[in-house]
PDB file of all heavy atoms in Angstrom:
ATOM      1  N   LEU A  29      13.786  -1.594  -7.752  1.00 98.00           N
ATOM      2  CA  LEU A  29      14.444  -2.597  -6.932  1.00 98.00           C
ATOM      3  C   LEU A  29      15.387  -3.472  -7.814  1.00 98.00           C
ATOM      4  O   LEU A  29      16.556  -3.725  -7.478  1.00 98.00           O
ATOM      5  CB  LEU A  29      13.466  -3.383  -6.121  1.00 98.00           C
ATOM      6  CG  LEU A  29      14.057  -4.534  -5.259  1.00 98.00           C
ATOM      7  CD1 LEU A  29      14.978  -3.929  -4.157  1.00 98.00           C
ATOM      8  CD2 LEU A  29      12.870  -5.340  -4.588  1.00 98.00           C
ATOM      9  N   THR A  32      18.325  -1.451  -8.957  1.00 98.00           N
ATOM     10  CA  THR A  32      19.261  -1.194  -7.858  1.00 98.00           C
ATOM     11  C   THR A  32      20.023  -2.438  -7.529  1.00 98.00           C
ATOM     12  O   THR A  32      21.293  -2.400  -7.339  1.00 98.00           O
ATOM     13  CB  THR A  32      18.481  -0.675  -6.653  1.00 98.00           C
ATOM     14  OG1 THR A  32      17.760   0.526  -7.021  1.00 98.00           O
ATOM     15  CG2 THR A  32      19.374  -0.381  -5.507  1.00 98.00           C
ATOM     16  N   TYR A  62      28.665   0.172  -3.728  1.00 96.00           N
ATOM     17  CA  TYR A  62      27.922  -1.063  -3.537  1.00 96.00           C
ATOM     18  C   TYR A  62      27.347  -1.201  -2.133  1.00 96.00           C
ATOM     19  O   TYR A  62      26.270  -1.769  -1.998  1.00 96.00           O
ATOM     20  CB  TYR A  62      28.669  -2.367  -4.043  1.00 96.00           C
ATOM     21  CG  TYR A  62      29.659  -2.947  -3.120  1.00 96.00           C
ATOM     22  CD1 TYR A  62      29.294  -3.579  -1.933  1.00 96.00           C
ATOM     23  CD2 TYR A  62      31.039  -2.984  -3.436  1.00 96.00           C
ATOM     24  CE1 TYR A  62      30.268  -4.147  -1.124  1.00 96.00           C
ATOM     25  CE2 TYR A  62      31.970  -3.552  -2.647  1.00 96.00           C
ATOM     26  CZ  TYR A  62      31.589  -4.118  -1.482  1.00 96.00           C
ATOM     27  OH  TYR A  62      32.508  -4.701  -0.600  1.00 96.00           O
ATOM     28  N   ASN A  63      28.043  -0.678  -1.146  1.00 97.00           N
ATOM     29  CA  ASN A  63      27.477  -0.736   0.231  1.00 97.00           C
ATOM     30  C   ASN A  63      26.228   0.121   0.281  1.00 97.00           C
ATOM     31  O   ASN A  63      25.223  -0.297   0.936  1.00 97.00           O
ATOM     32  CB  ASN A  63      28.488  -0.290   1.239  1.00 97.00           C
ATOM     33  CG  ASN A  63      29.516  -1.343   1.582  1.00 97.00           C
ATOM     34  OD1 ASN A  63      29.153  -2.508   1.616  1.00 97.00           O
ATOM     35  ND2 ASN A  63      30.713  -0.955   1.874  1.00 97.00           N
ATOM     36  N   GLU A  64      26.252   1.266  -0.345  1.00 97.00           N
ATOM     37  CA  GLU A  64      25.041   2.143  -0.309  1.00 97.00           C
ATOM     38  C   GLU A  64      23.870   1.460  -1.076  1.00 97.00           C
ATOM     39  O   GLU A  64      22.761   1.505  -0.642  1.00 97.00           O
ATOM     40  CB  GLU A  64      25.402   3.482  -0.899  1.00 97.00           C
ATOM     41  CG  GLU A  64      24.319   4.546  -0.616  1.00 97.00           C
ATOM     42  CD  GLU A  64      23.087   4.435  -1.406  1.00 97.00           C
ATOM     43  OE1 GLU A  64      23.135   3.976  -2.620  1.00 97.00           O
ATOM     44  OE2 GLU A  64      21.996   4.766  -0.934  1.00 97.00           O
ATOM     45  N   LEU A  65      24.214   0.878  -2.176  1.00 97.00           N
ATOM     46  CA  LEU A  65      23.160   0.179  -2.991  1.00 97.00           C
ATOM     47  C   LEU A  65      22.561  -0.998  -2.152  1.00 97.00           C
ATOM     48  O   LEU A  65      21.372  -1.216  -2.268  1.00 97.00           O
ATOM     49  CB  LEU A  65      23.753  -0.334  -4.299  1.00 97.00           C
ATOM     50  CG  LEU A  65      24.082   0.724  -5.320  1.00 97.00           C
ATOM     51  CD1 LEU A  65      25.039   0.208  -6.360  1.00 97.00           C
ATOM     52  CD2 LEU A  65      22.788   1.226  -5.995  1.00 97.00           C
ATOM     53  N   TRP A  66      23.436  -1.685  -1.396  1.00 97.00           N
ATOM     54  CA  TRP A  66      22.936  -2.790  -0.607  1.00 97.00           C
ATOM     55  C   TRP A  66      21.917  -2.283   0.380  1.00 97.00           C
ATOM     56  O   TRP A  66      20.908  -2.970   0.645  1.00 97.00           O
ATOM     57  CB  TRP A  66      24.119  -3.501   0.082  1.00 97.00           C
ATOM     58  CG  TRP A  66      23.642  -4.648   0.917  1.00 97.00           C
ATOM     59  CD1 TRP A  66      23.736  -4.751   2.261  1.00 97.00           C
ATOM     60  CD2 TRP A  66      23.076  -5.873   0.498  1.00 97.00           C
ATOM     61  NE1 TRP A  66      23.199  -5.944   2.685  1.00 97.00           N
ATOM     62  CE2 TRP A  66      22.853  -6.723   1.587  1.00 97.00           C
ATOM     63  CE3 TRP A  66      22.814  -6.371  -0.807  1.00 97.00           C
ATOM     64  CZ2 TRP A  66      22.289  -7.927   1.518  1.00 97.00           C
ATOM     65  CZ3 TRP A  66      22.269  -7.674  -0.889  1.00 97.00           C
ATOM     66  CH2 TRP A  66      22.002  -8.399   0.246  1.00 97.00           C
ATOM     67  N   LEU A  67      22.138  -1.164   1.002  1.00 97.00           N
ATOM     68  CA  LEU A  67      21.229  -0.626   1.961  1.00 97.00           C
ATOM     69  C   LEU A  67      19.937  -0.088   1.275  1.00 97.00           C
ATOM     70  O   LEU A  67      18.843  -0.264   1.813  1.00 97.00           O
ATOM     71  CB  LEU A  67      21.838   0.561   2.742  1.00 97.00           C
ATOM     72  CG  LEU A  67      23.011   0.188   3.649  1.00 97.00           C
ATOM     73  CD1 LEU A  67      23.681   1.448   4.189  1.00 97.00           C
ATOM     74  CD2 LEU A  67      22.642  -0.772   4.738  1.00 97.00           C
ATOM     75  N   ALA A  68      20.093   0.365   0.046  1.00 97.00           N
ATOM     76  CA  ALA A  68      18.939   0.874  -0.671  1.00 97.00           C
ATOM     77  C   ALA A  68      17.938  -0.182  -1.042  1.00 97.00           C
ATOM     78  O   ALA A  68      16.728   0.038  -1.056  1.00 97.00           O
ATOM     79  CB  ALA A  68      19.392   1.636  -1.929  1.00 97.00           C
ATOM     80  N   VAL A  69      18.433  -1.382  -1.407  1.00 97.00           N
ATOM     81  CA  VAL A  69      17.493  -2.451  -1.826  1.00 97.00           C
ATOM     82  C   VAL A  69      16.525  -2.782  -0.730  1.00 97.00           C
ATOM     83  O   VAL A  69      15.333  -3.006  -0.950  1.00 97.00           O
ATOM     84  CB  VAL A  69      18.152  -3.726  -2.364  1.00 97.00           C
ATOM     85  CG1 VAL A  69      18.952  -3.487  -3.613  1.00 97.00           C
ATOM     86  CG2 VAL A  69      19.064  -4.392  -1.297  1.00 97.00           C
ATOM     87  N   ASP A  70      16.956  -2.711   0.534  1.00 97.00           N
ATOM     88  CA  ASP A  70      16.069  -2.954   1.655  1.00 97.00           C
ATOM     89  C   ASP A  70      14.972  -1.838   1.761  1.00 97.00           C
ATOM     90  O   ASP A  70      13.855  -2.148   1.998  1.00 97.00           O
ATOM     91  CB  ASP A  70      16.923  -3.032   2.964  1.00 97.00           C
ATOM     92  CG  ASP A  70      16.172  -3.832   4.035  1.00 97.00           C
ATOM     93  OD1 ASP A  70      15.650  -4.918   3.725  1.00 97.00           O
ATOM     94  OD2 ASP A  70      16.112  -3.294   5.146  1.00 97.00           O
ATOM     95  N   LEU A  71      15.409  -0.594   1.642  1.00 97.00           N
ATOM     96  CA  LEU A  71      14.437   0.509   1.713  1.00 97.00           C
ATOM     97  C   LEU A  71      13.390   0.425   0.651  1.00 97.00           C
ATOM     98  O   LEU A  71      12.184   0.670   0.908  1.00 97.00           O
ATOM     99  CB  LEU A  71      15.200   1.845   1.617  1.00 97.00           C
ATOM    100  CG  LEU A  71      16.169   2.211   2.707  1.00 97.00           C
ATOM    101  CD1 LEU A  71      16.956   3.446   2.345  1.00 97.00           C
ATOM    102  CD2 LEU A  71      15.434   2.367   4.077  1.00 97.00           C
ATOM    103  N   ILE A  72      13.807   0.091  -0.560  1.00 98.00           N
ATOM    104  CA  ILE A  72      12.851  -0.004  -1.686  1.00 98.00           C
ATOM    105  C   ILE A  72      11.903  -1.191  -1.451  1.00 98.00           C
ATOM    106  O   ILE A  72      10.699  -1.055  -1.641  1.00 98.00           O
ATOM    107  CB  ILE A  72      13.608  -0.084  -3.018  1.00 98.00           C
ATOM    108  CG1 ILE A  72      14.472   1.135  -3.263  1.00 98.00           C
ATOM    109  CG2 ILE A  72      12.618  -0.330  -4.176  1.00 98.00           C
ATOM    110  CD1 ILE A  72      15.552   0.972  -4.322  1.00 98.00           C
ATOM    111  N   ALA A  73      12.495  -2.344  -1.065  1.00 98.00           N
ATOM    112  CA  ALA A  73      11.646  -3.548  -0.864  1.00 98.00           C
ATOM    113  C   ALA A  73      10.660  -3.354   0.251  1.00 98.00           C
ATOM    114  O   ALA A  73       9.460  -3.676   0.163  1.00 98.00           O
ATOM    115  CB  ALA A  73      12.522  -4.747  -0.557  1.00 98.00           C
ATOM    116  N   GLU A  74      11.072  -2.664   1.344  1.00 98.00           N
ATOM    117  CA  GLU A  74      10.151  -2.396   2.434  1.00 98.00           C
ATOM    118  C   GLU A  74       9.044  -1.394   2.065  1.00 98.00           C
ATOM    119  O   GLU A  74       7.928  -1.517   2.581  1.00 98.00           O
ATOM    120  CB  GLU A  74      10.918  -1.915   3.629  1.00 98.00           C
ATOM    121  CG  GLU A  74      11.758  -3.039   4.273  1.00 98.00           C
ATOM    122  CD  GLU A  74      12.630  -2.587   5.455  1.00 98.00           C
ATOM    123  OE1 GLU A  74      12.653  -1.407   5.753  1.00 98.00           O
ATOM    124  OE2 GLU A  74      13.184  -3.485   6.084  1.00 98.00           O
ATOM    125  N   LEU A 141      11.425   8.852  -0.964  1.00 98.00           N
ATOM    126  CA  LEU A 141      12.368   7.800  -1.318  1.00 98.00           C
ATOM    127  C   LEU A 141      12.969   7.982  -2.744  1.00 98.00           C
ATOM    128  O   LEU A 141      14.172   7.920  -2.906  1.00 98.00           O
ATOM    129  CB  LEU A 141      11.702   6.446  -1.238  1.00 98.00           C
ATOM    130  CG  LEU A 141      12.526   5.220  -1.676  1.00 98.00           C
ATOM    131  CD1 LEU A 141      13.658   4.948  -0.726  1.00 98.00           C
ATOM    132  CD2 LEU A 141      11.595   3.992  -1.776  1.00 98.00           C
ATOM    133  N   ARG A 145      16.845   8.747  -3.787  1.00 98.00           N
ATOM    134  CA  ARG A 145      17.536   7.804  -4.730  1.00 98.00           C
ATOM    135  C   ARG A 145      18.090   8.549  -5.931  1.00 98.00           C
ATOM    136  O   ARG A 145      19.241   8.407  -6.334  1.00 98.00           O
ATOM    137  CB  ARG A 145      16.638   6.693  -5.180  1.00 98.00           C
ATOM    138  CG  ARG A 145      16.048   5.784  -4.152  1.00 98.00           C
ATOM    139  CD  ARG A 145      17.034   5.172  -3.153  1.00 98.00           C
ATOM    140  NE  ARG A 145      18.230   4.657  -3.820  1.00 98.00           N
ATOM    141  CZ  ARG A 145      19.451   4.707  -3.279  1.00 98.00           C
ATOM    142  NH1 ARG A 145      19.631   5.186  -2.014  1.00 98.00           N
ATOM    143  NH2 ARG A 145      20.508   4.228  -3.913  1.00 98.00           N
ATOM    144  N   LEU A 148      21.183  10.701  -5.103  1.00 97.00           N
ATOM    145  CA  LEU A 148      22.408   9.948  -4.899  1.00 97.00           C
ATOM    146  C   LEU A 148      22.908   9.399  -6.209  1.00 97.00           C
ATOM    147  O   LEU A 148      24.128   9.497  -6.490  1.00 97.00           O
ATOM    148  CB  LEU A 148      22.135   8.821  -3.931  1.00 97.00           C
ATOM    149  CG  LEU A 148      23.412   8.070  -3.627  1.00 97.00           C
ATOM    150  CD1 LEU A 148      23.846   8.218  -2.213  1.00 97.00           C
ATOM    151  CD2 LEU A 148      23.285   6.654  -3.992  1.00 97.00           C
ATOM    152  N   HIS A 149      22.034   8.872  -7.098  1.00 98.00           N
ATOM    153  CA  HIS A 149      22.517   8.256  -8.314  1.00 98.00           C
ATOM    154  C   HIS A 149      23.002   9.324  -9.271  1.00 98.00           C
ATOM    155  O   HIS A 149      23.971   9.083 -10.024  1.00 98.00           O
ATOM    156  CB  HIS A 149      21.351   7.446  -8.949  1.00 98.00           C
ATOM    157  CG  HIS A 149      21.086   6.158  -8.184  1.00 98.00           C
ATOM    158  ND1 HIS A 149      21.980   5.168  -8.122  1.00 98.00           N
ATOM    159  CD2 HIS A 149      20.046   5.810  -7.384  1.00 98.00           C
ATOM    160  CE1 HIS A 149      21.543   4.191  -7.334  1.00 98.00           C
ATOM    161  NE2 HIS A 149      20.386   4.595  -6.904  1.00 98.00           N
TER     162      HIS A 149
END
Side-chain angles (χ1 to χ4, degrees):
L29 179 60
T32 302
Y62 80 67
N63 281 326
E64 195 286 327
L65 289 160
W66 180 249
L67 296 173
V69 295
D70 202 49
L71 295 173
I72 298 164
E74 288 178 354
L141 174 67
R145 300 307 318 146
L148 185 114
H149 290 291

